[in-house]
Amino acid sequence: MPFPVTREMLYEEIWKEPAASVAARYGVTSTFLARVCTEMNIPRPARGYWAKLAVNKAPKRPPLPPANPGDAVEWTRGQALRRERRALPVAPETRRRTKVKSTIPTDGPHPVVANVKQDFLNSRRAADSGHLRPFRRALPDLYVSPEILDRALTVSSTLYRALEARGYPVAIARAGEELYRPALEERKNPPKRRDGYDAYHSKWAPDRPTVVFIGTVAIGLTIYEQSENTEVRYLNGDYVPVGKLAPPKRGGYGAASWTTHKELASGRLCLRASSPYHVAKWEQQWEETSGRTLVDMIPTIVRGLEAAAPVLVELVKEGQARAEAARIEWERKQAIWAREEAQRRRERQIVESREQLTKIIGVWAVAKAREDFFEDLQRRVGALPEGEQAEVRSRLSRARELLGGTDVFRRFAAWRAPDE
């Protein structure tokens, strides 16, 4: 089959005959073809569609939706999918003036966080701070300890539904989208200078960010449990917060015990909103207090995100302008380097060509001397007695063979001029 395949071509084929037949023509499996359709945002016939079609009971074919930013638009077997380039984000034309409702719709868990609890609990040993590090990485952006996982999932679902009630969809970014999740600083009071904390504390992060779209402006959402510097005591191979220790028995805690300070999960949730665009650095945080939870702050959070959208648009524009200027400057330097490298290569070629020619001339001089020597001997052979001439000519032939001949034209033909 011809490649590349566009969205429109594959959409028509996938609705004309079963996927197994289409996949066979392209030399791939039906499972692989299904993944291609997903990446290209192509609706596929549901299970049982072809049986219903045979009895004229099949549902109507849905239209091909327009390609979203980040959707694959062209497929060639064995090559990466070509995707629709993400345009500059655009904030809503007018900021909504209606009041954010304090009562949040509760239609069950939001799809982003539904059925993910077990994936979070299926975790490697929690980080030194106590946060979960699940094996799976295609999960919503939560970084919490197992003790407050249920509350974090509830808060996330409530926040996401509140945003969608305002018309702002929340989703995990699709594979291939030019969105990223910046590194997280979960400590309450991190030092101003880098202290190597990240190098010694392996943090979990999702493969793709969880984002809310305000207009077409994507804003990353990270719900995490703040950690704080806590005095701990080493007991039986583990560090226990001093505030949770039972009174020691007579004789104290023993010689193999000591106290130190560690960054431990505090049970306090925070929300970080961040820029998922590589060209723009921005973030804003909301932190639970003793009197207010994140759920209480949802109206404030929604208003803050709405206000941040136009700010982020300007930051992206400025970042792209800087990136474009950097690209032009890089290309200018590459052109200068290419010219300088071409000049250096030309100079090397002249030197090498001259050295090669000098060697050929040297070989020619030696060859000429040898030829003069053999010709002189050849002339003198005629003056020898006839009985000796045959032996001398035989020795001359053997001598010529030993020196390998004197023809240098082959060497000269192999010489390369500087421009060759």
Side-chain angles (χ1 to χ4, degrees), residues 294-364:
L294 281 184
V295 173
D296 298 331
M297 302 178 196
I298 283 179
T300 303
I301 293 170
V302 173
R303 288 193 295 271
L305 295 176
E306 289 175 335
V311 174
L312 199 50
V313 168
E314 294 304 315
L315 290 175
V316 171
K317 288 180 180 178
E318 294 171 5
Q320 289 196 339
R322 288 193 302 270
E324 180 64 14
R327 183 189 65 80
I328 293 172
E329 177 65 14
W330 180 85
E331 289 180 350
R332 185 186 69 82
K333 290 182 178 179
Q334 287 294 304
I336 294 173
W337 176 86
R339 289 195 296 270
E340 293 175 347
E341 180 61 22
Q343 179 62 27
R344 287 191 294 268
R345 185 166 58 250
R346 170 71 177 172
E347 292 171 357
R348 286 197 304 268
Q349 288 170 342
I350 292 173
V351 171
E352 292 170 0
S353 181
R354 185 177 295 146
E355 290 177 351
Q356 186 183 13
L357 191 57
T358 301
K359 289 180 181 178
I360 292 173
I361 293 171
V363 171
W364 180 270

Side-chain angles (χ1 to χ4, degrees), residues 131-150:
H131 295 81
L132 291 168
R133 295 169 55 201
F135 290 101
R136 188 181 171 203
R137 301 177 74 88
L139 292 171
D141 195 356
L142 301 178
Y143 187 61
V144 297
S145 66
E147 289 76 17
I148 68 166
L149 175 61
D150 285 331

Side-chain angles (χ1 to χ4, degrees), residues 113-375:
V113 294
N115 305 316
V116 298
K117 178 179 177 179
Q118 196 55 46
D119 290 313
F120 275 100
L121 294 178
N122 182 21
S123 171
R124 290 159 287 190
R125 181 182 180 274
D128 292 347
S129 60
H131 295 81
L132 291 168
R133 295 169 55 201
F135 290 101
R136 188 181 171 203
R137 301 177 74 88
L139 292 171
D141 195 356
L142 301 178
Y143 187 61
V144 297
S145 66
E147 289 76 17
I148 68 166
L149 175 61
D150 285 331
R151 187 162 73 88
L153 291 171
T154 301
V155 170
S156 301
S157 182
T158 306
L159 173 62
Y160 300 163
R161 289 207 175 278
L163 288 166
E164 293 197 343
R166 295 280 286 182
Y168 308 135
V170 179
I172 296 176
R174 292 191 301 273
E177 286 192 289
E178 299 173 0
L179 301 175
Y180 87 114
R181 188 261 205 187
L184 175 68
E185 174 57 78
E186 87 286 1
R187 290 177 290 178
K188 179 175 176 60
N189 296 305
K192 293 183 178 179
R193 295 184 178 180
R194 297 184 64 179
D195 58 352
Y197 175 80
D198 290 341
Y200 293 98
H201 295 75
S202 179
K203 300 178 183 179
W204 177 86
D207 285 333
R208 290 168 279 155
T210 301
V211 292
V212 57
F213 288 94
I214 312 292
T216 64
V217 182
I219 300 178
L221 300 177
T222 304
I223 291 181
Y224 67 97
E225 183 177 0
Q226 198 174 67
S227 65
E228 57 186 14
N229 195 271
T230 307
E231 185 180 14
V232 294
R233 177 172 287 277
Y234 180 79
L235 284 176
N236 301 321
D238 201 2
Y239 290 96
V240 182
V242 170
K244 296 182 179 180
L245 284 173
K249 297 180 180 179
R250 184 176 299 177
Y253 292 106
S257 175
W258 64 86
T259 59
T260 185
H261 285 80
K262 281 186 170 293
E263 295 287 342
L264 297 182
S266 64
R268 184 169 48 254
L269 285 177
C270 299
L271 169 68
R272 180 190 69 169
S274 60
S275 165
Y277 303 101
H278 290 277
V279 296
K281 305 297 181 185
W282 171 88
E283 69 175 47
Q284 185 175 349
Q285 303 203 19
W286 290 268
E287 173 187 335
E288 286 186 338
T289 64
S290 57
R292 295 188 71 194
T293 66
L294 281 184
V295 173
D296 298 331
M297 302 178 196
I298 283 179
T300 303
I301 293 170
V302 173
R303 288 193 295 271
L305 295 176
E306 289 175 335
V311 174
L312 199 50
V313 168
E314 294 304 315
L315 290 175
V316 171
K317 288 180 180 178
E318 294 171 5
Q320 289 196 339
R322 288 193 302 270
E324 180 64 14
R327 183 189 65 80
I328 293 172
E329 177 65 14
W330 180 85
E331 289 180 350
R332 185 186 69 82
K333 290 182 178 179
Q334 287 294 304
I336 294 173
W337 176 86
R339 289 195 296 270
E340 293 175 347
E341 180 61 22
Q343 179 62 27
R344 287 191 294 268
R345 185 166 58 250
R346 170 71 177 172
E347 292 171 357
R348 286 197 304 268
Q349 288 170 342
I350 292 173
V351 171
E352 292 170 0
S353 181
R354 185 177 295 146
E355 290 177 351
Q356 186 183 13
L357 191 57
T358 301
K359 289 180 181 178
I360 292 173
I361 293 171
V363 171
W364 180 270
V366 173
K368 188 70 170 63
R370 290 175 183 173
E371 189 63 29
D372 290 344
F373 168 75
F374 286 123
E375 287 180 358

